[in-house]
Amino acid sequence: MFFELSEQHLAVREAARDFAQNVLKPTIIERDRAMSYPKEEVRQMKELGFLGMMTSPDYNGGGMDALSYVIAMEEISKIDASCAVIMSVNNSLVCAGLEQYANDFQKEKYLTKLASGEWIGSFCLSEPEAGSDATSQQTTALDMGDHYLLNGTKNWITNGGTSKVHLVIAQTNREAGHRGINAFIVETDWQGVVIGAKEDKLGIRSSDTHTIMYNDVKVPKENRIGEDGFGFKFAMKVLGGGRIGIAAQALGIAAGAYELAVAYANERKTFGKTIGSHQAIAFKLADMATEIEAARLMVYRAAWLKDSGKDYATAAAMAKLYASEVAMKHTVEAVQIHGGYGYVKEYHVERLMRDAKITQIYEGTSEIQRIVISRDVLNGNLYI
Ligand code: CAA
């Protein structure tokens, strides 16, 4: 067992930390307030190679491992969970999904542009009535011979207003249940793709989340991913990797709030001494430090399992479940440590508290992670 990061991992951490502190931090309070999309910041993420980190250089990606990706996600999420989710969806849902399951034609046409960051992608699974119950897809893709005809509505789509490519999950054959679901690559400027209103959200407000409508969109047959009926398994497999990214986002949000709380505890004085010298605050920091470290070990281990070619679905679910609970709990504590200052935007912790909540909801709620974990446990896999 080896707990030290390599030179390459340390360099990734340094680059991501530098970018987050110097580029993201000065603008995040205003972007969060105004719900403005970080266009310039995303352009810089492209230049730094953060948008296709794990994709092979053959398709213009960075060719890095999943551990590098989670380290970068952690540093960026300490400051800006909005940029982190833009990055996460593009890396671990869109690019990873295409690299693993698309054919050569699709990779050449789409992945090369998505991994370089020239284009941004979205993953379109959730619907008004199909969130946790992902098999009950109402969006239909009728087989018309040389193309599919796509109709339906998708909800909560990250990068919805800015993406050039959607990976859309839709029902082709309702009688076949989940085996009748397909995944398609859809270009957003095709006729019939309608970008709906932008959501006014509690957190990750600088990311753009939209409802999307597909009205008689003609999708060429060549844009289906995998064999007929592979769409649901495609979504489940891709979400396994996505959950490692969101676990890293949650870890970063928790760690960002913790770092602010420690600095504040060493600076703010009450009753003649720094508040960190009061046991009430010191013990909160001890609990934060311990639980964030445990979350980090789980997130890094899930990434390591993926990098080692081992099964990581349950480890990813555990890491997301735990890291997101830690993020929610300790961002609330960080606000408490800051007292009244924690309640105003200038001190950053209130934003991190609002950002934390979504990590318990998207890419599978905490309840869904418990379903995934408990099924594996009851199947006899008591330990990973
Ligand atoms: N890998 C491969 N196959 C899988 C799988 C996995 N991890 N999980 C399930 N499957 C397969 C099963 O083997 C089964 O296939 P067979 O019948 O051929 O054996 C099929 O998929 C159906 O599986 P289940 O019977 O287990 O399906 P279920 O209806 O009980 O649902 C679930 C399982 C885990 C609850 C699933 O519906 C789920 O994960 N729901 C949550 C959806 C989700 O995470 N949504 C997030 C939206 S994306 C997002 O948030 C992105 C963003 O923008 C940030």
Side-chain angles (χ1 to χ4, degrees):
M1 207 169 273
F2 191 62
F3 286 101
E4 226 158 354
L5 295 178
S6 69
E7 289 292 320
Q8 188 207 318
H9 295 132
L10 291 171
V12 168
R13 185 161 75 185
E14 195 54 38
R17 184 177 291 174
D18 182 64
F19 172 68
Q21 296 292 336
N22 297 317
V23 178
L24 301 179
K25 195 169 182 183
T27 57
I28 182 57
I29 290 176
E30 181 51 25
R31 282 188 282 112
D32 172 77
R33 193 196 60 73
M35 295 197 328
S36 54
Y37 182 78
K39 197 169 170 211
E40 170 55 22
E41 290 78 1
V42 171
R43 190 195 65 74
Q44 291 194 40
M45 290 209 290
K46 167 185 181 257
E47 299 303 320
L48 288 163
F50 287 145
L51 296 176
M53 288 182 73
M54 294 176 289
T55 308
S56 157
D58 296 346
Y59 302 107
N60 298 334
M64 292 186 207
D65 56 11
L67 186 53
S68 301
Y69 164 62
V70 300
I71 289 169
M73 278 291 297
E74 179 184 349
E75 289 305 321
I76 288 171
S77 305
K78 282 181 183 175
I79 304 294
D80 186 342
S82 296
C83 278
V85 72
I86 294 167
M87 171 177 162
S88 180
V89 167
N90 204 63
N91 272 278
S92 50
L93 295 183
V94 178
C95 289
L98 290 177
E99 183 162 28
Q100 205 171 350
Y101 299 108
N103 61 33
D104 290 346
F105 159 77
Q106 294 164 342
K107 286 184 194 171
E108 197 51 48
K109 185 165 180 190
Y110 296 108
L111 182 56
T112 49
K113 294 198 166 63
L114 290 158
S116 70
E118 183 183 339
W119 290 353
I120 295 287
S122 293
F123 186 78
C124 305
L125 171 68
S126 301
E127 299 188 351
E129 291 180 50
S132 292
D133 184 6
T135 56
S136 54
Q137 293 288 306
Q138 301 302 310
T139 298
T140 53
L142 298 184
D143 189 340
M144 308 299 281
D146 64 336
H147 67 273
Y148 288 91
L149 200 61
L150 185 67
N151 277 289
T153 302
K154 295 288 176 180
N155 257 20
W156 323 121
I157 303 304
T158 302
N159 301 334
T162 43
S163 53
K164 179 84 171 83
V165 168
H166 289 172
L167 303 189
V168 183
I169 313 300
Q171 189 82 50
T172 297
N173 176 0
R174 198 163 295 285
E175 273 85 67
H178 69 77
R179 295 192 187 89
I181 291 174
N182 278 307
F184 302 95
I185 306 168
V186 175
E187 296 182 32
T188 52
D189 52 12
W190 286 351
Q191 199 168 2
V193 179
V194 179
I195 312 299
K198 183 171 175 171
E199 300 292 349
D200 186 350
K201 308 188 295 290
L202 173 72
I204 53 164
R205 287 171 59 81
S206 179
S207 69
D208 63 323
T209 311
H210 289 254
T211 297
I212 312 283
M213 277 78 70
Y214 303 99
N215 299 326
D216 285 338
V217 179
K218 276 185 167 183
V219 182
K221 273 264 160 89
E222 64 202 26
N223 277 35
R224 189 186 72 210
I225 300 171
E227 294 297 307
D228 189 20
F230 177 63
F232 188 72
K233 288 195 178 167
F234 169 80
M236 290 298 107
K237 285 188 179 288
V238 171
L239 277 167
R243 286 166 186 165
I244 299 178
I246 300 305
Q249 182 192 32
L251 167 64
I253 292 170
Y258 161 70
E259 288 176 16
L260 290 168
V262 172
Y264 189 76
N266 275 323
E267 172 193 305
R268 173 78 170 166
K269 288 192 173 140
T270 58
F271 307 102
K273 52 185 181 180
T274 59
I275 59 169
S277 310
H278 297 296
Q279 202 178 67
I281 302 298
F283 280 15
K284 281 188 198 299
L285 295 174
D287 288 346
M288 279 185 179
T290 306
E291 291 176 23
I292 291 169
E293 203 52 51
R296 181 173 291 112
L297 289 173
M298 292 180 79
V299 175
Y300 285 18
R301 181 158 175 264
W304 174 81
L305 285 168
K306 185 167 188 285
D307 288 330
S308 311
K310 299 181 198 296
D311 187 0
Y312 57 87
T314 302
M318 286 180 172
K320 181 181 182 291
L321 173 64
Y322 187 71
S324 63
E325 309 270 316
V326 165
M328 197 66 249
K329 177 176 168 188
H330 290 307
T331 52
V332 171
E333 288 292 60
V335 170
Q336 189 68 21
I337 289 170
H338 280 77
Y341 293 103
Y343 206 63
V344 295
K345 296 199 184 299
E346 192 187 335
Y347 283 75
H348 294 277
V349 281
E350 64 82 32
R351 185 187 68 257
L352 291 167
M353 184 183 84
R354 288 186 284 105
D355 289 342
K357 186 60 204 169
I358 192 61
T359 65
Q360 295 179 307
I361 298 173
Y362 59 21
E363 300 203 21
T365 60
S366 293
E367 291 74 14
I368 290 296
Q369 307 312 324
R370 288 186 170 95
I371 291 178
V372 172
I373 297 161
S374 60
R375 282 182 181 174
D376 202 24
V377 168
L378 292 166
N379 274 338
N381 297 321
L382 264 61
Y383 304 103
I384 302 172

